[in-house]
Amino acid sequence: DAVTIVPADLDDSWTRDTAPNFVTRGGSELAASVFHFNAWGRKYQRFGRDAALGHRLAEALGVPTFSSSLFLEGGAINVDGEGTLLTTESCVLNQNRNPGLSKAEAEAELCESLGVDKVIWLPGDPTEKETDGHVDGMACYVMPGVVMFETCPNRGTEGYLISQENLAALERARDARGRSLEIIILNEAYEAEATSDIFCRSYINFYICNGGVVMPGYGIERDREARDIVARSFPDRRVAQVDVNEIAVGGGGIHCVTQQQPTVARQPPS
């Protein structure tokens, strides 16, 4: 009874990237901020139905929309709710999305379209084939001032070096309130068997919902370690670990197929 089904034709299942990014004002008004979508830099030819989903869902929910000038996806951003946004240069500044856009211009548009005051830039991962290094496979706010960061545990590999470069950038960062960040390290599911070239081995690609966290599992020994870290980081939430091997084969995880909508005291007039 608590679920409303909204039928919609899609090109892909990754609603994190195609659904609206919901914003609130004063805890009483809800709106939808919508990026342009071009299938992760035109990696796929058919994406018209996905590109229309943001506005279509907002219309179904009866909330006003704000259209960003950026070509981007929801998996490219993570926010703390207090004015700070995490993202990656390898994605936002990629020529396959926003050619000719400067870092300063991108930062100004992110602040305008999402109501944030500070953007923390991580280098990202230019070797990641599907998303060009979405931040949702790398870092996530646990609470303001505290970020969980996923690293590759296999020293000496390219993945390890890339994760260390991003970790160093996060350690240097200050948020919108001038705080340095407490960082919780979480190792990725490096031992999971890759059943495709784009297989997603990310534990941090989880979804934070009311009273809980739904996180990936792969049926490997490291699952327990990852679940324990997430459970300690969210002590007031129930953690449910779900086998994602059939999702991961397509390059994403739990976070990639979900998009949260905040509760507000009242809906704005449609």
Side-chain angles (χ1 to χ4, degrees), residues 99-208:
L101 189 73
S102 71
K103 190 174 182 178
E105 291 169 335
E107 188 163 318
E109 178 58 25
L110 286 167
C111 290
E112 175 69 19
S113 62
L114 296 169
V116 298
D117 303 308
K118 173 71 179 288
V119 177
I120 295 176
W121 292 94
L122 304 182
D125 183 0
T127 70
E128 200 272 306
K129 297 178 181 178
E130 280 295 280
T131 69
D132 303 299
H134 272 184
V135 78
D136 72 350
M138 184 178 299
C140 174
Y141 267 104
V142 172
M143 64 180 70
V146 182
V147 175
M148 186 174 290
F149 181 83
E150 186 170 76
T151 186
C152 173
N154 195 12
R155 292 177 177 271
T157 63
E158 185 176 33
Y160 175 81
L161 295 175
I162 289 172
S163 67
Q164 292 305 301
E165 180 184 11
N166 282 277
L167 177 59
L170 194 61
E171 290 172 338
R172 294 191 298 267
R174 297 291 184 273
D175 67 12
R177 299 195 176 188
R179 297 171 294 204
S180 58
L181 300 171
E182 177 186 344
I183 302 172
I184 301 169
I185 298 297
L186 175 70
N187 286 322
E188 70 178 19
Y190 184 80
E191 297 86 358
E193 180 185 359
T195 53
S196 73
D197 290 340
I198 56 174
F199 191 86
C200 177
R201 289 187 171 103
S202 176
Y203 285 119
I204 207 168
N205 199 274
F206 51 62
Y207 174 60
I208 303 171

Side-chain angles (χ1 to χ4, degrees), residues 218-236:
Y218 296 87
I220 61 175
E221 186 175 347
R222 195 180 293 275
D223 285 356
R224 181 183 294 273
E225 170 193 292
R227 187 189 185 285
D228 288 346
I229 291 172
V230 173
R232 288 197 300 270
S233 302
F234 295 94
D236 297 330

